[in-house]
Amino acid sequence: MNATIKRAAVACMVMFALLMINVNYLGAVKAGEYSTDNRNKRSFYARYGVDRGWITADNGKTTLAKTVDTGDKTFRYEREYPAGRMYAHVLGFFAPESARGIELNENKLLNGSDPDLVVGRLIDFVSKKPPKGASVDLTLVPAAQKVAYDRLRASGKRGAVVALNPKTGAVQVMVSLPTYDPNDLAAPDKAKVAAAYNKLADDDTDPLLNRAIEKTYPPGSTFKVVTAAAFLEADRSRDPETTVPAPQVLDLPDTTAGLPNYGGAACGSGEVTLRFALERSCNTPFGQIGMDLGWDTMRSESAKFGIGEPIQFDLPTAGTTIGPEIETAALAQLAIGQRDNQQTPLQMAQVASAIANSGVLMRPTLINKITDPDGSVIEELRPDQIDEAMSGEVADELKQMMVSVITNGTGTGAQIPGVTVAGKTGTAEAGDAPAPHAWFIGFAPAEDPQTAICVFIEAGSAGNDATGGGTAAPLARDVMQAVLEAK
Amino acid sequence: MTTAPVAEAPAVPMTAKRRGAQLIMLAFAIVVVMGAYASVGLGIDGQIPSGTFTYGLGLAVLMFAAYGVLAKWAPWADPLLLPLVTLLNGIGLVFIYRIEQTGQAGASATNQLMWTALGVVMFSATLIVLKDHRTLQRLTYTMGALGLLLLIMPLLPVIGEDVNGANIWIKIGPLTYQPAEMAKMALVIFFAGYLVAKRDVLALAGRRLFFIDLPRVRDLGPVLITWGLSLGVLVLQKDLGSSLLVFGTFIAMLYIATQRTSWVLIGVLLFVGGAVLAGQLFGHVQDRFEVWLDPGNPEFYSRELGGSEQLMQGLFAMGSGGILGTGLGQGFPREIPLSFSDFIIAVVGEELGLTGLMAILMVYALIVERGLRTALAARDPFTKLLAGGLSFLLAWQVFIIVGGVTRLIPLTGLVTPFLSAGGSALLTNWILIALLVRMSDAARRPPPQAIQNEGLTQVFTR
């Protein structure tokens, strides 16, 4: 019987060999697939096993997102957003299966998986401590953010406010309304969060959308500063006192329709200085300038402000454009910020910022500094120049004209006592919408700009009365004042 | 005439008792288990659990008692069997304790320790009472009847109990018992006795087909009866695992006894045919097969009955464990339904990784190897067949359940010997080990020395 017993032994050996091979196949080859399957809740639990880094502003003095040790065995660390809705679009949220905003963009640093943090991670692993992430400090100015949020909310309108430090590109304010409470999306409960998220996603007012960067709108008359810059750059013998034709209605080629001024009003005596045209925000002179400069010049000059160019920012941004090349008539319309001219509020703040910074365009950034769990700084804001949007001389001339807009033009609502403010209003027709978008871009103080701003009020969000000068300018004034006082 | 030189007696190889080595290995097994206990506590809340000492001491007292019995009543027994089983039983206790910490209903380390104690009592009793295992040969048909009775007990009214769709439990008062566990061993004893008696007849060649000698048709009787029996278990109790276990072991023993490959082929064909037929008639067999082929399919995953969720959760656990595992106490066993019983191997895979799984499989393989070695060394056919049968039974059971959980073969429910929670299986397996120990003692005991060349100098070899 020994021969058959030996064969049975071989059969047993084969069975064990098959089991061992299969176990190795499972543990080494298929492991990745199984551990990342979304029905495997372990990665979901792991998200809450990390002492995630905090997000702060004002050099750590204001806490925007914090991690709370609940002591729970499954979901030990939970995320909380003390300021709630006010910072929702910048911070985003840390949800069971997704993330957004800074929470997404800086995720690897916040959860400690970034290669920069590998040593600390290893020490945590050996000492069986939960992993700890780096903390991120933002450039936002909490006092000004609050003013922007409160004022925009009080107006009951949808819109966005962006303020930048023109010298560094640091984002001082970024508010978008309507907003949402990120705390609702941070609970470690997939079903609850999914329900909350779907409710927000289905909302017609689109509260999840960051209107400051994620969507483009026609910038209206605020774009005239770009057209003016192109006009001055094209021929350096021109200056603010150069006269330009200003008919009541501008005849457009190949069409019976003409381009009127706002409300069909006259603009001076039919021939005005550039300064006057900008102060009164006349459409016809800028329409003419656009047609005279032509497509290529308009496109290349606006590209120097970053328009139509990819932008490297800490959050995803929508692409901007002055519109496609169609016909000369369209050129007149895009020169005054209409038709297919599409800009984000951040882009228009960049325009103001470049003028304020003597023509130098800085890369916008939200990150002030990133500190590892031991407190040493891994990353710090380093001002980064993107382009020279115009010569310093042209920037000075534009600045003078924008100061006139605030002192004697459409932007008087933005005046701050004791501070020279420069700015430009805009009221843009939004397609078929009955009401226009209202815009304001500007900076202050004009002599030594500390803040450049863009306020955007969405068309028809409440009532039909929003105008750049009446609605956007006073709001911009309050926010700029708050930034200046916070300094 | 000169006298022939005195022939040196052929040196009978003396098997060493190796009791000292066994004691050291036993102590080592207990140290490993206590270390694992402490590690679970450290993994869960950073503290060595207060139970480490009591559980560890409890296990140590039990195992050294078992050792004492073994040393007294089976001194020549294989030295590896008891330490290996102690290690498995201890690791099982640790994992049940670990799963109990997550609050999964049904996992109780205290109960398992109690059953372990009872298992050791049965082990000792078997060794003390059963001085010579060949007495079992006289009980061949009694064992056959007992096995049959135990198998059909869950189908009887009043005591039969239906749990999770399978009729494999009996309930007497507060106690539930899975008689199939004991039945399988009674049946192996019966098969051994029966086959030893009938193997010459069964080995007779009948017609030759291609290169295989077919047995005579009239000898098909026993195979057909066993086949019918296991199909009955499959159909009536919906217990695919036990059915496969009993029939496979029978075929293996039939082959060992008769040396006829044709029996294996006939057996495989019969079982596959029966399973396919059952699959056509009963949904649950087909479900298992479908799920095996494509467990990730969301349709199967979300199916309430006969779905793949448990299998997938086991695979997720082992996948997340990877090569080295998460460490004891740091996995998520409560994600896996029934993690303390059929799927305990998945928990091992998650927390100890494929390294731990390999170690556990190696321990099983060693036990089987020691059993088969006993079968080879045994001196009479009944012992050979019984030791071979019991060893194959163990290997086959590990293959069916671990293969099922790791998706090597379709999943059929069976307990993982010595690891899974459950008294019925633990008791049976301890008796199984006692039988192997008893047989290895007989096989390794040096035979009484024959006196050489009567009339001349008596030569003794010591």
Side-chain angles (χ1 to χ4, degrees):
Chain A
M1 249 192 264
N2 278 5
T4 44
I5 291 175
K6 279 175 188 161
R7 264 177 235 143
V10 169
C12 290
M13 214 170 75
V14 169
M15 290 194 292
F16 279 107
L18 284 174
L19 287 178
M20 288 177 180
I21 291 168
N22 191 46
V23 159
N24 277 277
Y25 172 68
L26 250 181
V29 181
K30 297 279 274 182
E33 182 191 322
Y34 287 136
S35 52
T36 53
D37 191 299
N38 69 351
R39 289 168 293 191
N40 185 349
K41 293 192 190 141
R42 286 166 188 79
S43 54
F44 168 46
Y45 297 147
R47 283 171 86 82
Y48 297 92
V50 177
D51 190 354
R52 196 173 170 82
W54 290 27
I55 303 176
T56 57
D58 200 9
N59 284 308
K61 279 182 232 130
T62 308
T63 302
L64 304 182
K66 63 178 178 178
T67 298
V68 184
D69 187 349
T70 60
D72 185 273
K73 273 185 186 153
T74 316
F75 303 110
R76 180 158 172 194
Y77 295 105
E78 281 188 29
R79 200 65 162 165
E80 277 179 19
Y81 302 97
R85 299 161 178 273
M86 199 190 293
Y87 293 87
H89 292 104
V90 175
L91 298 181
F93 49 80
F94 181 70
E97 287 174 293
S98 64
R100 200 176 274 196
I102 292 292
E103 291 276 37
L104 173 65
N105 201 56
E106 302 299 329
N107 187 40
K108 283 193 168 173
L109 285 158
L110 288 168
N111 74 14
S113 63
D114 193 273
D116 284 352
L117 300 168
V118 73
V119 176
R121 183 99 177 183
L122 200 67
I123 293 168
D124 286 343
F125 179 76
V126 171
S127 58
K128 281 202 165 186
K129 268 195 266 174
K132 204 165 159 46
S135 53
V136 174
D137 187 60
L138 301 182
T139 57
L140 295 172
V141 178
Q145 178 88 3
K146 181 165 166 36
V147 169
Y149 175 75
D150 288 346
R151 285 283 276 111
L152 191 56
R153 212 161 68 104
S155 76
K157 294 180 164 58
R158 301 195 288 266
V161 180
V162 179
L164 303 166
N165 181 334
K167 290 166 185 162
T168 60
V171 177
Q172 294 162 328
V173 172
M174 186 176 276
V175 166
S176 174
L177 278 168
T179 182
Y180 59 92
D181 189 347
N183 289 305
D184 295 342
L185 301 173
D189 181 339
K190 284 189 189 182
K192 209 176 113 189
V193 167
Y197 182 87
N198 290 336
K199 193 163 164 252
L200 290 170
D202 292 343
D203 193 326
D204 288 338
T205 64
D206 226 345
L208 288 169
L209 182 73
N210 184 351
R211 288 167 162 77
I213 51 174
E214 288 172 354
K215 199 171 175 194
T216 58
Y217 311 89
S221 303
T222 54
F223 196 78
K224 287 172 186 162
V225 298
V226 177
T227 307
F231 179 69
L232 293 170
E233 280 280 291
D235 180 352
R236 286 308 301 117
S237 68
R238 293 168 181 158
D239 63 28
E241 310 313 325
T242 304
T243 51
V244 288
Q248 194 161 355
V249 176
L250 181 65
D251 285 330
L252 297 178
D254 310 322
T255 166
T256 51
L259 179 71
N261 287 320
Y262 183 67
C267 179
S269 53
E271 189 149 286
V272 298
T273 61
L274 185 64
R275 178 196 303 277
F276 184 82
L278 198 71
E279 269 175 24
R280 296 296 142 94
S281 199
C282 304
N283 289 340
T284 52
F286 288 99
Q288 188 61 52
I289 289 170
M291 291 194 289
D292 292 347
L293 289 173
W295 279 104
D296 293 339
T297 312
M298 282 305 290
R299 189 170 290 163
S300 62
E301 287 300 314
S302 53
K304 292 204 285 190
F305 285 95
I307 294 166
E309 301 287 306
I311 181 171
Q312 210 193 338
F313 187 52
D314 305 308
L315 298 174
T317 54
T320 54
T321 174
I322 60 165
E325 181 173 353
I326 312 170
E327 68 220 358
T328 319
L331 202 48
Q333 285 171 312
L334 77 87
I336 61 162
Q338 298 285 0
R339 195 130 177 177
D340 295 321
N341 192 330
Q342 292 283 325
Q343 308 301 334
T344 59
L346 173 68
Q347 177 57 57
M348 292 317 291
Q350 281 283 83
V351 168
S353 172
I355 297 166
N357 196 31
S358 306
V360 178
L361 184 68
M362 304 303 290
R363 190 177 77 79
T365 180
L366 274 162
I367 309 297
N368 180 37
K369 70 177 176 206
I370 295 173
T371 323
D372 77 6
D374 305 329
S376 46
V377 176
I378 313 173
E379 207 180 302
E380 211 164 3
L381 170 70
R382 270 199 316 239
D384 182 11
Q385 181 180 335
I386 302 179
D387 203 350
E388 188 157 311
M390 72 213 93
S391 66
E393 219 176 314
V394 170
D396 269 352
E397 289 168 358
L398 279 170
K399 191 187 287 185
Q400 285 172 31
M401 290 193 282
M402 286 170 76
V403 171
S404 318
V405 170
I406 303 300
T407 47
N408 354 307
T410 54
T412 48
Q415 288 172 1
I416 303 173
V419 179
T420 327
V421 178
K424 180 72 192 84
T425 60
T427 307
E429 290 160 22
D432 299 334
H437 295 307
W439 291 82
F440 179 89
I441 64 170
F443 52 90
E447 311 79 45
D448 179 23
Q450 299 297 322
T451 181
I453 195 168
C454 173
V455 173
F456 162 71
I457 311 272
E458 195 173 311
S461 45
N464 297 333
D465 57 337
T467 59
T471 320
L475 210 159
R477 171 197 61 205
D478 293 352
V479 177
M480 285 193 287
Q481 200 165 9
V483 174
L484 297 177
E485 278 167 11
K487 283 275 164 183
Chain B
M1 205 173 152
T2 53
T3 44
V6 178
E8 191 72 33
V12 176
M14 283 286 282
T15 32
K17 288 183 181 173
R18 318 235 10 171
R19 292 276 74 90
Q22 182 170 18
L23 204 56
I24 291 167
M25 285 190 289
L26 198 59
F28 180 64
I30 288 164
V31 168
V32 168
V33 171
M34 283 177 81
Y37 246 122
S39 184
V40 167
L42 288 172
I44 294 177
D45 49 15
Q47 282 174 344
I48 293 179
S50 52
T52 304
F53 206 63
T54 39
Y55 280 121
L57 206 67
L59 189 71
V61 166
L62 281 173
M63 294 310 156
F64 285 114
Y67 169 79
V69 170
L70 186 145
K72 170 101 174 65
W73 276 279
W76 293 94
D78 190 293
L80 235 61
L81 284 170
L82 185 63
L84 289 173
V85 169
T86 302
L87 183 62
L88 282 181
N89 198 146
I91 294 287
L93 267 168
V94 169
F95 272 96
I96 290 160
Y97 170 75
R98 193 266 166 276
I99 295 163
E100 188 183 8
Q101 298 305 303
T102 68
Q104 217 178 81
S108 162
T110 316
N111 279 355
Q112 185 76 353
L113 186 65
M114 216 185 66
W115 282 110
T116 304
L118 225 62
V120 169
V121 168
M122 292 307 282
F123 171 86
S124 308
T126 307
L127 282 185
I128 295 168
V129 173
L130 196 66
K131 292 264 167 26
D132 185 352
H133 58 278
R134 277 168 297 186
T135 25
L136 291 174
Q137 197 171 0
R138 276 182 253 135
L139 298 172
T140 296
Y141 288 94
T142 318
M143 283 297 172
L146 181 70
L148 208 58
L149 180 72
L150 285 168
L151 264 189
I152 59 167
M153 264 167 88
L155 295 175
L156 298 178
V158 185
I159 56 170
E161 180 93 339
D162 188 323
V163 178
N164 302 330
N167 296 315
I168 54 174
W169 296 83
I170 54 170
K171 194 175 164 113
I172 302 162
L175 286 171
T176 52
Y177 190 75
Q178 226 176 324
E181 284 298 325
M182 199 57 93
K184 74 186 185 187
M185 207 171 53
L187 287 174
V188 168
I189 296 170
F190 163 69
F191 293 155
Y194 174 80
L195 289 171
V196 165
K198 299 284 190 270
R199 68 191 177 115
D200 294 336
V201 180
L202 292 172
L204 281 179
R207 214 180 287 268
R208 193 175 164 83
L209 189 71
F210 300 114
F211 50 92
I212 292 161
D213 289 318
L214 288 179
R216 298 181 305 176
V217 177
R218 71 182 99 140
D219 297 330
L220 283 173
V223 180
L224 289 175
I225 289 168
T226 323
W227 178 63
L229 182 76
S230 52
L231 276 189
V233 170
L234 174 66
V235 170
L236 295 173
Q237 305 184 354
K238 301 192 179 64
D239 186 358
L240 197 55
S242 292
S243 166
L244 190 60
L245 184 67
V246 167
F247 193 67
T249 308
F250 175 68
I251 293 299
M253 290 176 73
L254 189 56
Y255 171 71
I256 292 175
T258 63
Q259 317 196 6
R260 286 265 170 267
T261 322
S262 51
W263 283 124
V264 179
L265 288 175
I266 289 169
V268 170
L269 286 179
L270 279 175
F271 193 81
V272 168
V276 167
L277 196 71
Q280 298 295 320
L281 295 174
F282 306 95
H284 66 275
V285 180
Q286 209 176 351
D287 287 353
R288 296 284 174 98
F289 198 74
E290 237 172 36
V291 155
W292 174 60
L293 288 177
D294 186 16
N297 189 327
E299 185 200 327
F300 298 153
Y301 186 82
S302 53
R303 189 157 62 193
E304 192 102 6
L305 258 172
S308 67
E309 191 193 344
Q310 189 185 26
L311 178 62
M312 284 309 279
Q313 285 300 342
L315 292 174
F316 290 158
M318 287 182 282
S320 305
I323 291 170
L324 290 174
T326 58
L328 282 162
Q330 307 203 58
F332 294 92
R334 52 146 211 211
E335 294 300 317
I336 315 163
L338 291 182
S339 60
F340 51 86
S341 106
D342 294 15
F343 270 67
I344 199 158
I345 209 77
V347 184
V348 175
E350 177 174 13
E351 301 204 336
L352 298 180
L354 81 85
T355 317
L357 284 182
M358 290 291 283
I360 296 280
L361 288 174
M362 198 55 91
V363 172
Y364 278 120
L366 277 174
I367 295 175
V368 171
E369 188 261 346
R370 299 317 285 187
L372 289 168
R373 189 170 283 251
T374 300
L376 283 176
R379 298 181 183 109
D380 64 296
F382 176 73
T383 312
K384 279 182 182 300
L385 209 47
L386 186 58
L390 290 177
S391 308
F392 186 86
L393 179 78
L394 197 64
W396 186 226
Q397 181 160 359
V398 171
F399 182 74
I400 291 173
I401 184 61
V402 177
V405 172
T406 57
R407 212 192 136 219
L408 181 63
I409 57 170
L411 179 66
T412 58
L414 274 182
V415 297
T416 318
F418 295 108
L419 287 184
S420 295
S424 336
L426 210 51
L427 285 190
T428 312
N429 287 319
W430 271 106
I431 296 174
L432 188 153
I433 293 298
L435 289 179
L436 283 181
V437 162
R438 166 55 66 224
M439 287 186 281
S440 73
D441 174 61
R444 289 159 55 91
R445 189 189 295 274
Q449 290 305 312
I451 295 165
Q452 307 293 322
N453 252 345
E454 228 171 325
L456 290 174
T457 323
Q458 292 187 349
V459 182
F460 288 90
T461 323
R462 271 186 208 284

